[in-house]
Amino acid sequence: MSFSISFLDEPVIYDESDPTAAGRLVIGDWEEVFVSSLFHWSKEDYEAQWLNAIKLLLNGEEKAALIVEYLGPEAGRLWWWPMYKVESTVYLREQILFFDKLKGPFSLEKAFSFVKERQTFNEDGLAFSEWGESVSEVQEFANARSI
C-alpha cells in the first residue's frame, strides 16, 4: 500500500505540559514523520478525523484535510495536510493553519471549509510542494480500515 497515515508503534512521549505521539504519513515513495499533541485530542480522535476526511474525499468531496496536530483553540493554529481530489489523483500538501488569518472563527465542525482551493503556484510563481497519490491507493487504505 503506497498511501497510509498512522501512529508509530512507539511509546507515547510525555512531558509535564504536553503528551505527544509520533506518526507517519506515506504518499507513494515519500514519507513524513510527525508528532501529534495529545493534550486536547487522543490518538483515537486523530485517527477518527483522518478516516472521516478520507471518507468524505472518496465519497465526492473535492477537498478535505488530515489534522496531525491540534493544540486547541487557544493555540491559534493547527498542523494539517489538505487533500485535493483531482480526477483520479489525490494531492496532499503540508500546511499550518493560523486561526487569526481566517475570515471567520475556526470551528472543528466546519474545519474543511477552511481548506483553500488548490493552487499549484504561489504569488511569486513558485510551485507549492505537494505529493500525489492515486485515488485507488487511498481507497485501498480506506478499505483496509472498513470505511
Side-chain angles (χ1 to χ4, degrees), residues 53 55-64 83-85 112:
K55 179 181 178 180
L56 290 171
L57 202 70
L58 292 173
N59 289 329
E61 293 295 324
E62 293 181 0
K63 58 185 182 172
M83 302 183 294
Y84 303 91
K85 186 167 71 171
F112 300 152

Side-chain angles (χ1 to χ4, degrees), residues 47-117:
E47 292 166 340
Q49 191 280 325
W50 300 337
L51 295 178
N52 181 57
I54 291 167
K55 179 181 178 180
L56 290 171
L57 202 70
L58 292 173
N59 289 329
E61 293 295 324
E62 293 181 0
K63 58 185 182 172
L66 305 170
I67 299 173
V68 295
E69 185 179 51
Y70 179 65
L71 299 167
E74 61 279 355
R77 65 172 175 80
L78 62 77
W79 205 288
W80 67 358
W81 284 79
M83 302 183 294
Y84 303 91
K85 186 167 71 171
V86 180
E87 298 176 4
S88 62
T89 304
V90 175
Y91 294 97
L92 296 97
R93 68 174 59 143
E94 187 174 25
Q95 182 183 56
I96 299 174
L97 180 70
F98 293 99
F99 301 160
D100 64 350
K101 304 286 185 202
L102 302 175
K103 293 180 181 175
F106 178 77
S107 160
L108 281 172
E109 294 76 26
K110 297 179 183 178
F112 300 152
S113 69
F114 299 104
V115 176
K116 295 180 180 178
E117 294 301 318

